[in-house]
């Protein structure tokens, strides 16, 4: 798995011809999720072993709706690669910090995305809306300042989505 923005997830979806969805294994195992429905694990091939039950084919519009719900519910897009060929993306998990193993189990591994946040501190009013939505704990308002920990930013872009002033942008991560 790796992290990407919803825009990057949309680009991945647009390149696909076939779609399947299954229930999220994390949500099934943990019980009722407070953030989203169960069936948000999107796959681009039927050769993937889903983590949850109920895998079935869907159409392009259904895949687009899952992405839209992911954006509305502030779920992190986490594409996953083929074990046989890491250059092939086989699907996208839409994760939350309520029940998804990645956020609850520190031993779970996920790669950073290609993007990282950049905040224009002159535009930032310290409203703090971006801090609680950062599941990676990269942002917080402290002592009248926005404290950003870039080493914790995985590039999901949720902070951009909640910043009504446009003070945050996603930019290419430096190597």
């Amino acid at each position: 798995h790796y992290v990407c923005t919803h825009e990057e997830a949309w680009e991945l979806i647009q390149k696909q011809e076939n779609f399947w969805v299954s229930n999220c294994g994390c949500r099934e195992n943990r019980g009722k999720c407070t953030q989203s429905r169960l069936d948000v694990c999107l796959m681009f091939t039927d050769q993937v072993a889903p983590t949850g039950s109920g895998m079935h084919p869907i159409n392009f519009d259904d895949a687009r709706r899952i992405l839209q719900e992911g954006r509305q519910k502030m779920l992190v897009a986490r594409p996953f690669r083929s074990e046989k060929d890491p250059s092939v993306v086989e699907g996208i998990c839409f994760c939350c910090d309520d029940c998804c193993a990645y956020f609850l189990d520190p031993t779970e591994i996920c790669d950073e995305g290609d993007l990282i946040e950049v905040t224009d501190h002159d535009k930032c009013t310290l409203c703090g809306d971006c801090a609680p939505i950062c599941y990676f704990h990269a942002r917080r308002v402290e002592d009248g300042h926005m404290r950003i920990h870039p080493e914790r930013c995985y590039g999901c872009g949720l902070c951009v989505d909640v910043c009504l002033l446009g003070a945050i942008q996603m930019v290419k991560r430096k190597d």
Side-chain angles (χ1 to χ4, degrees), residues 101-119:
Y102 174 70
F103 293 108
L104 300 175
D105 180 356
T107 65
E108 283 283 325
I109 297 172
C110 183
D111 294 336
E112 295 174 337
D114 291 336
L115 304 177
I116 190 167
E117 74 80 42
V118 172
T119 299

Side-chain angles (χ1 to χ4, degrees), residues 11 15 23 38 60 68 90 112 114 121 125-126 137 140 145 156 163 170:
E11 290 172 12
K15 293 176 184 174
N23 290 340
L38 282 175
F60 178 82
Q68 287 173 330
E90 293 184 324
E112 295 174 337
D114 291 336
H121 292 279
T125 62
L126 303 174
H137 309 290
R140 71 172 185 238
H145 292 75
C156 69
C163 183
M170 299 304 292

Side-chain angles (χ1 to χ4, degrees), residues 19-161:
F19 304 93
W20 289 263
V21 69
S22 74
N23 290 340
C24 169
C26 296
R27 287 173 175 88
E28 281 185 335
N29 292 333
R30 185 147 165 97
K32 184 167 174 37
C33 178
T34 62
Q35 288 186 248
S36 81
R37 66 187 205 212
L38 282 175
D39 61 337
V40 293
C41 289
L42 181 62
M43 290 155 280
F44 306 138
T45 174
D46 63 352
Q47 301 302 304
V48 176
T51 62
S53 65
M55 183 173 168
H56 62 275
I58 60 173
N59 63 35
F60 178 82
D61 287 335
D62 293 330
R64 182 179 47 79
R65 282 191 282 276
I66 290 170
L67 174 65
Q68 287 173 330
E69 181 165 341
R71 182 184 295 269
Q72 291 166 349
K73 303 285 184 168
M74 304 309 279
L75 305 178
V76 174
R78 293 182 59 230
F80 53 92
R81 301 177 186 102
S82 166
E83 289 182 20
K84 293 178 184 173
D85 182 357
S87 68
V88 175
V89 174
E90 293 184 324
I92 306 171
C93 293
F94 290 94
C95 303
C96 71
D97 65 343
D98 181 45
C99 51
C100 291
Y102 174 70
F103 293 108
L104 300 175
D105 180 356
T107 65
E108 283 283 325
I109 297 172
C110 183
D111 294 336
E112 295 174 337
D114 291 336
L115 304 177
I116 190 167
E117 74 80 42
V118 172
T119 299
D120 182 338
H121 292 279
D122 292 332
K123 285 185 180 179
C124 178
T125 62
L126 303 174
C127 72
D129 289 348
C130 59
I133 202 62
C134 182
Y135 305 149
F136 299 96
H137 309 290
R139 312 176 65 79
R140 71 172 185 238
V141 177
E142 182 180 88
D143 300 326
H145 292 75
M146 175 57 68
R147 302 282 184 212
I148 300 169
H149 300 275
E151 72 280 3
R152 294 183 187 164
C153 177
Y154 272 65
C156 69
L158 295 183
C159 57
V160 174
D161 293 342

